[in-house]
Amino acid sequence: MVPRLTMHLQFLATRNGLRNLTLTSSHRSLFAGIRISIDEEFAAKSLFHSCEVMLVERLPSGVFADPFELQHIQDRGVYGEVAVFGDTNLELPSFLSNRTLVEVHMFFSPDGLLEQKHGLEIKVEVPLHACYQPLDGSGYSAVQFGEPDVFARCRMEKRSSNQSHLFVLTSNGAISYKNPTVWKIPSGVETHAGFVSIVTFLSASLSALVIIVASVFHSNIKLHENVKIS
Amino acid sequence: MVTVDMRPLLLFSAFLRVFLIVYGEWQDKHMEVRYTDVDYFVFSDAADLMASGKSPYERTTYRYSPLLALLLLPNTFLHRSWGKFLFSASDLLVGVFIYTILKKCSVPKNICTYCVMAWLLNPFTFTIGTRGNCEPVVCAIILWIIICLMNGNLLQAAVWYGLVVHFRIYPIIYAPTLVLVLNHHFLRLGQKPVLRIWSSGPSKKPEYSTAATKLNVLVAIKCIFSAERIVFGVISAAVFFFCTGISFYLYKWEFLHEALLYHLTRTDPRHNFSIYFYHIYLHYEREFSVVEKLISFLPQFMVQLVLVLRFAPDLPFCLFVQTVAFVAFNKVITAQYFVWFFCLLPLILPWSNINFKWKGLCCIFLWMGAQTHWLMWGYLLEFKGKNVFVELWMASLVFLAANTCVLVVMISNHTYSPLFQLLKQNSSEQGLKQE
């Protein structure tokens, strides 16, 4: 029987709040820093020999994570395991694509956790890309990120045992209520539609006409006199 | 003019490509931004899946023939760079084919070599193959088809044409040109054709020139169902349907949709060089009507029709202008499409009256300047997150204008020179004519 054990979660504060989006482009990284600590009873029992923290980002509609890019990051040993669930058709605009979910696993040792006075700090950065947004009169579409779900799973010491225990870690809405992270993504403006269509077709027609006239009325057609049998 | 030999040029080009492939491997491992094209990973993953007995279409965004995955199977059991070496070798082969085609037309050796340099030392082309893009394979096949026709090997040309259309759908636009060129009076089964000869002096307008030009069109219309055309059409169609049929048998509707139908119906709302991208994005939430689709296809269709009817006998030039126009008026334009006409450009340079200084340089700067202008707005949209959709769309209009300008200059300064000349009539035909 496993005694009651508790892990604590705290989101790390950065200059830009508890969450952060790096860069200012269609390709950004979502940063989440967490601190995990354990109570004394957990430390005393020392029942677990390995643990992993699982951070689950539920991405809002309008952004996606490239599974192959994340695989590349995993191959470089940045994270333990990474997976993307949901829509992987990266070319569709957001109004035709579904939401995605990114799961990042990072392994740590309970002993290592004990050695940290203030708990174990884990920083996760997930590269994201913006889809084409629904048309908006303002020219920008605001995409808001919620709080990630954080779990920890620890495996028992006895090798013959496959038993592991899952801890659901919560921060009582620290992110959603205090510092919502918003990404403003450029979007098309609906009022442009008529003008753009007309000018596009007129330009294509004019270019085609110029090429046709140049070809048909090209008067400088000369033929070479010399021939050769190959 | 400095004389450059073909052999040292090829050796240097090969060394450059090997160096870039090795450097690319290093950059991929040690830097955040990869040298290798993302498409190469798609091809390699598809080859891995095929090697393990699965469908290559289980790899998302693999939209090519299974033949490509088959070609890259050694990526799985030899080395992951096998494909890059294959594409770079095709790239070098294109250089050899350019030289061969020009030599057959008696273009002087130094001019041939300079034309080959326009391909081998073009930064677009040597980065395309070394980054793992498969376009050099297609370019090599198209040039080989021209060589087969110049040698009178109609059957071989037909087989390769059917194969290349299966591999990459765009060469289907060359079908009308090839049909017109396969004129019984210029190309016959089992007979070597009479080729044009390059001349450095000012070419006179022979008395028969106008008659010959009219003859080409009139004869083409009258002899539309010649034996050569029927044989070429049947064999190339058979090869195309055979390859497509085998692929469909193995991979079913997934193959048909991803490798063929996707390319025929592709409309990408994301920003690209095409003038249509913003129009497509603004209307993406609703389906385009049949009338709208026809209207957007009309400029492309008309340009292709006129270019083919006007220039078909001058085969390399016709293929070149067709490809430039096809890319310029396409609904999606990405940088790799430029390679499609870069491989044909060296074939027409010896017949162009454009002086490198300054008309040639102006054309180059105009085209590259328009591209750079577009890239600047694309950078602001994609990497700075600014809403510059209108500016970017206008930059694509400028790019279309630049393409049109360069194309018109090339047409106006080209010395029209049919690749094949009239064959001598045999006695039975002469007898019939006298009757």
Side-chain angles (χ1 to χ4, degrees):
Chain A
M1 186 176 158
V2 177
R4 191 162 163 263
L5 301 168
T6 317
M7 274 196 191
H8 304 285
L9 171 71
Q10 186 186 357
F11 284 100
L12 299 175
T14 69
R15 191 162 50 88
N16 298 313
L18 294 175
R19 288 275 251 172
N20 190 20
L21 274 170
T22 59
L23 304 174
T24 54
S25 66
S26 299
H27 314 285
R28 305 178 77 172
S29 290
L30 181 64
F31 171 85
I34 57 176
R35 182 182 291 120
I36 300 174
S37 55
I38 50 176
D39 60 14
E40 287 177 6
E41 196 177 351
F42 192 114
K45 297 295 178 183
S46 299
L47 288 172
F48 303 108
H49 76 98
S50 68
C51 294
E52 64 180 311
V53 64
M54 295 172 284
L55 189 127
V56 179
E57 294 275 10
R58 283 170 284 135
L59 300 180
S61 177
V63 298
F64 63 87
D66 185 345
F68 301 100
E69 186 179 14
L70 290 171
Q71 181 64 45
H72 181 58
I73 292 172
Q74 186 185 335
D75 291 343
R76 282 168 45 222
V78 178
Y79 302 128
E81 280 176 35
V82 182
V84 178
F85 303 95
D87 205 328
T88 54
N89 188 345
L90 313 178
E91 295 169 355
L92 284 179
S94 67
F95 41 90
L96 290 176
S97 52
N98 300 314
R99 291 180 63 172
T100 52
L101 197 139
V102 178
E103 196 176 297
V104 179
H105 294 224
M106 298 194 60
F107 298 97
F108 66 93
S109 158
D111 293 335
L113 189 58
L114 289 173
E115 287 163 15
Q116 304 290 329
K117 259 188 184 175
H118 305 290
L120 181 68
E121 280 186 10
I122 294 172
K123 291 168 188 170
V124 175
E125 208 164 315
V126 178
L128 300 177
H129 308 275
C131 297
Y132 263 39
Q133 300 298 302
L135 304 179
D136 192 286
S138 68
Y140 289 90
S141 185
V143 172
Q144 187 167 327
F145 291 85
E147 201 172 279
D149 297 316
V150 186
F151 307 89
R153 180 168 63 187
C154 295
R155 289 183 176 79
M156 301 288 284
E157 252 180 5
K158 293 178 186 175
R159 285 187 185 177
S160 57
S161 166
N162 285 327
Q163 207 173 7
S164 63
H165 295 267
L166 187 69
F167 300 88
V168 180
L169 307 177
T170 60
S171 66
N172 299 319
I175 287 174
S176 338
Y177 303 137
K178 291 181 185 173
N179 291 303
T181 305
V182 176
W183 184 355
K184 288 186 80 177
I185 302 170
S187 64
V189 178
E190 204 163 358
T191 49
H192 293 166
F195 170 76
V196 166
S197 299
I198 292 168
V199 173
T200 299
F201 290 128
L202 281 176
S203 304
S205 304
L206 182 64
S207 294
L209 190 64
V210 166
I211 294 169
I212 288 168
V213 166
S215 303
V216 170
F217 294 105
H218 174 48
S219 59
N220 199 26
I221 294 177
K222 308 180 199 87
L223 290 177
H224 278 279
E225 287 183 317
N226 301 316
V227 300
K228 175 195 167 191
I229 297 171
S230 62
Chain B
M1 201 185 251
V2 177
T3 310
V4 180
D5 243 355
M6 199 45 194
R7 193 169 285 186
L9 174 63
L10 277 174
L11 277 171
F12 171 75
S13 301
F15 174 77
L16 175 66
R17 281 148 178 81
V18 169
F19 170 77
L20 285 172
I21 291 170
V22 171
Y23 166 75
E25 291 293 306
W26 178 86
Q27 181 170 326
D28 288 357
K29 236 183 217 172
H30 296 93
M31 293 172 73
E32 195 72 40
V33 176
R34 288 193 254 205
Y35 178 82
T36 304
D37 196 317
V38 69
D39 277 347
Y40 188 72
F41 297 108
V42 175
F43 306 155
S44 300
D45 291 344
D48 282 343
L49 288 164
M50 190 183 257
S52 53
K54 296 178 186 171
S55 165
Y57 299 100
E58 285 185 29
R59 177 41 163 108
T60 54
T61 70
Y62 181 74
R63 296 193 175 105
Y64 304 88
S65 163
L67 280 178
L68 180 58
L70 189 70
L71 281 175
L72 261 59
L73 278 178
N75 272 27
T76 309
F77 52 83
L78 257 182
H79 191 275
R80 61 171 179 258
S81 294
W82 155 264
K84 289 183 185 178
F85 282 101
L86 179 69
F87 301 150
S88 297
S90 305
D91 184 0
L92 292 171
L93 206 57
V94 168
V96 172
F97 288 165
I98 289 169
Y99 189 84
T100 306
I101 290 169
L102 294 177
K103 279 307 285 177
K104 279 183 171 296
C105 297
S106 303
V107 175
K109 192 177 163 187
N110 61 333
I111 296 179
C112 288
T113 316
Y114 278 112
C115 291
V116 172
M117 282 166 70
W119 167 260
L120 288 178
L121 302 182
N122 185 337
F124 269 115
T125 54
F126 61 67
T127 50
I128 278 275
T130 55
R131 290 186 67 215
N133 197 288
C134 67
E135 302 300 345
V137 174
V138 182
C139 294
I141 295 175
I142 287 168
L143 293 187
W144 180 246
I145 290 168
I146 296 174
I147 292 173
C148 287
L149 290 174
M150 291 171 86
N151 289 335
N153 291 332
L154 249 66
L155 302 182
Q156 208 186 132
V159 168
W160 284 105
Y161 185 64
L163 186 68
V164 81
V165 173
H166 164 81
F167 194 79
R168 207 82 166 94
I169 198 80
Y170 89 87
I172 194 71
I173 65 170
Y174 302 146
T177 312
L178 292 170
V179 165
L180 280 178
V181 153
L182 294 173
N183 189 307
H184 182 71
H185 296 268
F186 299 89
L187 266 174
R188 267 181 218 153
L189 279 167
Q191 193 173 341
K192 287 218 168 179
V194 177
L195 298 176
R196 65 184 173 185
I197 286 185
W198 180 84
S199 167
S200 63
S203 43
K204 297 176 194 172
K205 194 172 177 181
E207 287 177 11
Y208 64 80
S209 63
T210 311
T213 309
K214 285 185 185 170
L215 178 68
N216 287 339
V217 175
L218 282 173
V219 168
I221 293 167
K222 280 182 186 174
C223 307
I224 199 90
F225 294 110
S226 65
E228 289 76 21
R229 287 180 177 138
I230 291 170
V231 166
F232 189 91
V234 167
I235 291 177
S236 55
V239 170
F240 172 78
F241 284 113
F242 176 75
C243 295
T244 306
I246 296 255
S247 304
F248 182 74
Y249 173 74
L250 291 170
Y251 305 113
K252 309 288 185 276
W253 287 104
E254 220 178 2
F255 150 74
L256 206 63
H257 183 261
E258 297 290 341
L260 277 179
L261 300 178
Y262 169 82
H263 297 289
L264 293 173
T265 58
R266 182 181 181 184
T267 52
D268 199 337
R270 293 173 306 160
H271 55 284
N272 61 85
F273 291 108
S274 172
I275 59 170
Y276 293 104
F277 92 86
Y278 197 30
H279 161 75
I280 292 169
Y281 175 30
L282 292 171
H283 294 88
Y284 213 74
E285 290 186 72
R286 67 166 183 83
E287 279 277 326
F288 286 114
S289 66
V290 173
V291 173
E292 280 170 326
K293 285 179 185 174
L294 279 172
I295 290 173
S296 61
F297 182 62
L298 201 59
Q300 175 78 277
F301 176 76
M302 290 306 299
V303 167
Q304 292 294 319
L305 181 68
V306 170
L307 290 174
V308 168
L309 289 176
R310 199 77 177 102
F311 300 114
D314 189 344
L315 183 63
F317 183 72
C318 189
L319 298 185
F320 173 77
V321 291
Q322 272 193 272
T323 313
V324 172
F326 178 73
V327 172
F329 287 98
N330 205 27
K331 296 226 174 52
V332 178
I333 305 173
T334 61
Q336 69 191 72
Y337 294 0
F338 302 150
V339 176
W340 297 349
F341 53 77
F342 279 146
C343 68
L344 297 166
L345 175 64
L347 301 181
I348 68 166
L349 288 177
W351 284 269
S352 177
N353 301 320
I354 299 175
N355 289 323
F356 186 67
K357 280 183 184 179
W358 292 99
K359 219 175 206 176
L361 271 175
C362 281
C363 287
I364 292 170
F365 284 134
L366 176 67
W367 191 77
M368 295 202 61
Q371 219 181 108
T372 308
H373 173 242
W374 186 96
L375 287 170
M376 180 195 77
W377 292 111
Y379 173 79
L380 287 174
L381 173 69
E382 193 166 337
F383 294 99
K384 291 296 176 191
K386 305 281 183 202
N387 187 325
V388 292
F389 278 111
V390 173
E391 291 86 345
L392 188 59
W393 163 69
M394 290 175 80
S396 64
L397 294 176
V398 170
F399 187 59
L400 174 66
N403 275 294
T404 304
C405 213
V406 171
L407 194 54
V408 166
V409 167
M410 298 204 79
I411 289 171
S412 306
N413 289 275
H414 178 73
T415 303
Y416 176 75
S417 180
L419 184 60
F420 305 112
Q421 304 299 312
L422 271 170
L423 289 168
K424 285 180 185 172
Q425 288 177 322
N426 57 34
S427 53
S428 60
E429 284 181 349
Q430 281 176 339
L432 280 168
K433 200 174 173 182
Q434 281 167 2
E435 283 169 20

